[in-house]
Amino acid sequence: MGSSHSCVTVAQIADAARVAVRTVYSSTGQKVDILRELRLPAVNDPNVEITMRAIAATDDPRQVIDITARCTRQAHDAHWSTPAVVIPQYPAEPTAAAVLEAATTEYVKALTGIVERLDQLGALRADMDLCRAVDLLWFHLGQNAWFSLVGPRQWGFDVAEEWLAEATKRALLEAPGD
């Protein structure tokens, strides 16, 4: 993974942005600035705020998970071309890794708010602490889950959303009637 073949290239950035390589060089600054700009639409997606309001408005923990799965699905569906092409290359590129880390920090912050809501509702499994719940929410609804199922496994977004939501409920929530 540490070879130069793993680094994010300007050609990959141009392809993800759907512009010519020459356009990338003539209209942007350093590669880290380009990568940051490519991530901005996903990081600043207005659906995140809408989702957090919807989560705060419901008292149904299963609906909290469904809303979260729908939001993460919509974000991945809307911004699929950029992360699917560029993100797998981020870990091998120090400047790119820093951009990904900043985006990940924001995502974990949102997931923490969702877990806190589930905790307020008394819905988390009895053996579940908040840190583990955030980790499991990340595992089930984070980028890697979507990349694995929708990417190489070629699941449709609808099927992946439904399955991931149900798996998340089983992992985090008390079974109905418990």
Side-chain angles (χ1 to χ4, degrees):
M1 279 218 122
S3 75
S4 63
H5 299 291
S6 298
C7 293
V8 178
T9 66
V10 174
Q12 288 172 312
I13 293 168
D15 186 52
R18 296 185 178 111
V19 299
V21 172
R22 180 175 292 191
T23 302
V24 172
Y25 282 118
S26 67
S27 64
T28 60
Q30 298 178 8
K31 187 166 25 175
V32 69
D33 298 323
I34 299 166
L35 294 169
R36 191 176 299 114
E37 287 297 316
L38 284 172
R39 294 291 297 151
L40 281 179
V43 171
N44 295 330
D45 192 315
N47 282 327
V48 174
E49 186 177 326
I50 293 165
T51 298
M52 297 308 282
R53 283 197 307 261
I55 287 169
T58 185
D59 291 332
D60 180 349
R62 297 181 66 76
Q63 191 174 20
V64 168
I65 300 295
D66 288 337
I67 292 166
T68 304
R70 187 176 326 112
C71 175
T72 59
R73 175 262 171 93
Q74 290 169 342
H76 284 90
D77 197 2
H79 307 289
W80 188 255
S81 64
T82 300
V85 171
V86 179
I87 286 177
Q89 309 302 324
Y90 274 48
E93 171 94 29
T95 57
V99 172
L100 181 59
E101 181 62 30
T104 299
T105 298
E106 288 303 309
Y107 189 60
V108 170
K109 184 176 163 183
L111 294 180
T112 300
I114 294 163
V115 165
E116 288 170 349
R117 178 66 179 143
L118 291 168
D119 189 47
Q120 290 170 351
L121 295 172
L124 293 174
R125 290 180 20 189
D127 62 343
M128 187 70 54
D129 66 42
L130 296 181
C131 289
R132 171 142 315 151
V134 170
D135 289 346
L136 289 175
L137 193 56
W138 168 269
F139 176 81
H140 285 89
L141 295 173
Q143 290 175 335
N144 289 336
W146 292 98
F147 288 168
S148 294
L149 295 178
V150 177
R153 302 311 317 152
Q154 299 182 354
W155 289 25
F157 275 104
D158 291 338
V159 174
E161 177 185 344
E162 183 179 331
W163 188 87
L164 289 169
E166 290 307 313
T168 303
K169 291 171 193 172
R170 287 190 302 276
L172 292 180
L173 305 179
E174 287 290 349
D178 284 352

